[in-house]
Amino acid sequence: MSLRLPSLRGVQAFEAVGRSGSVAIAARDLGLTPGAVSQHIGRLEEEVGVALFERKGRSLALTSWGQIYLRSVRDGFDHLRAANDVLQRARLKSEIVMSAPPSLAIRWVRRLLGEWQNLTPGVSVRLLGDDHEPVFEDEQVDFRISYGTARLKYAHFTDLFVDRVAPVCSPSFLEAHPIENPADVMRWPLIGIEWKNPYQSPPSWSDWAIRFGLTQL
């Protein structure tokens, strides 16, 4: 097999026409004239030795070889565009972007970031309050604070803290009904917490009772 690659301009013209289905649109996207695009494609066909388009009057249709070639070429250009986006972000970005669920962003993270930035004034951090779990390869987010099992979708993560629950009641109720042992807690009406997916619910009263050797509620 030949290691010599065809003209990149020809491949670029072919991909643009195959993607858009129009020489005129491809010419506009590439900043060329339609005649120049056609010439590039003609030279490419000579280099690869197969017909990539069928010419039907003024329209072009991909041949079977053209369809096969376009699939691979399109993947290659998608990778090039993604690489260029990464490079541009690295060159132009002057801040760290952090995403967190709105409840965490407003009530907890924003305050901590304010304290941290007072200690590191040379670093800019932008906080996004969003329930959407980002895809780092596609979105301009550097760090994500997730809750529950949502963290498992990421290849790399660190647990910041683990939830713990404890029974509570009003001081007046406790004064009227002293609690001497865990079994006393279970004698009264109990209020629990349940969160819908994707958040994992905290331990239930059953879990708490089992922890203290109580098998019946």
Side-chain angles (χ1 to χ4, degrees), residues 69 98 126 174 176 179 194 209 217:
Y69 194 44
M98 176 181 291
R126 180 158 59 98
L174 185 61
I179 301 298
E194 286 191 10
L217 295 182

Side-chain angles (χ1 to χ4, degrees), residues 165-169 173 179 181-194 201-217:
V165 296
V168 296
C169 66
F173 183 90
I179 301 298
N181 57 65
D184 292 340
V185 174
M186 311 307 293
R187 293 190 295 110
W188 304 106
L190 305 174
I191 299 175
I193 301 174
E194 286 191 10
S201 294
S204 65
W205 281 109
S206 296
D207 297 322
W208 186 86
I210 292 173
R211 169 67 176 79
F212 287 95
L214 306 175
T215 57
Q216 295 183 350
L217 295 182

